[in-house]
Amino acid sequence: MAAAKKGDRVAVRIIEEARNELVHLIEAARRAPGIEKWPVVISGGLFSDSFFKHQFIEEVHSRWGNLQVIEPSISAAAGAFILALKESKIEITDQVKQTAETSWRHLEE
């Protein structure tokens, strides 16, 4: 990212290709019946860079209008934990969600 921001043409091309590949993944997913209205959830290393994230969101909105782009408030691991609780028929209260989110933030410190 640093090299691309400094204008390195190879780095810029790599970043553009990464963004285009992610957009192609959305295009492919949206072809499945019933998925066209689902939001896009962004997470991971590339999206930790605000410039990349902004460019990606602009590309999504230019192609699909108001398609919702969501940044999760908890990690994928915490989300998987909550889904595992649901699968186990454990009630997911606001307190459970808050505890999972707080625990994850504590681990990130």
Side-chain angles (χ1 to χ4, degrees), residues 4-108:
K5 289 176 184 176
K6 290 179 182 177
D8 182 289
R9 285 187 271 160
V10 173
V12 168
R13 191 178 79 239
I14 290 169
I15 300 303
E16 287 174 351
E17 287 177 13
R19 187 181 66 238
N20 289 338
E21 288 301 317
L22 290 168
V23 167
H24 291 310
L25 286 172
I26 295 170
E27 287 175 340
R30 288 176 55 86
R31 289 187 199 117
I35 290 183
E36 62 277 351
K37 293 184 181 180
W38 285 15
V40 172
V41 179
I42 58 174
S43 180
L46 289 172
F47 295 110
S48 65
D49 182 85
S50 61
F51 180 76
F52 181 88
K53 179 172 53 177
H54 177 74
Q55 293 292 318
F56 176 79
I57 292 171
E58 280 188 1
E59 181 70 22
V60 167
H61 288 160
S62 74
R63 288 176 181 252
W64 296 289
N66 63 350
L67 179 62
Q68 186 180 14
V69 178
I70 299 171
E71 291 183 74
S73 61
I74 61 174
S75 72
F81 172 71
I82 290 171
L83 287 175
L85 292 175
K86 280 184 171 183
E87 288 293 317
S88 300
K89 308 292 186 225
I90 296 172
E91 182 181 0
I92 308 300
T93 64
D94 287 339
Q95 183 178 1
V96 169
K97 291 177 190 177
Q98 183 63 40
T99 300
E101 185 175 345
T102 301
S103 296
W104 180 254
R105 285 192 183 134
H106 178 71
L107 290 172
E108 288 182 317

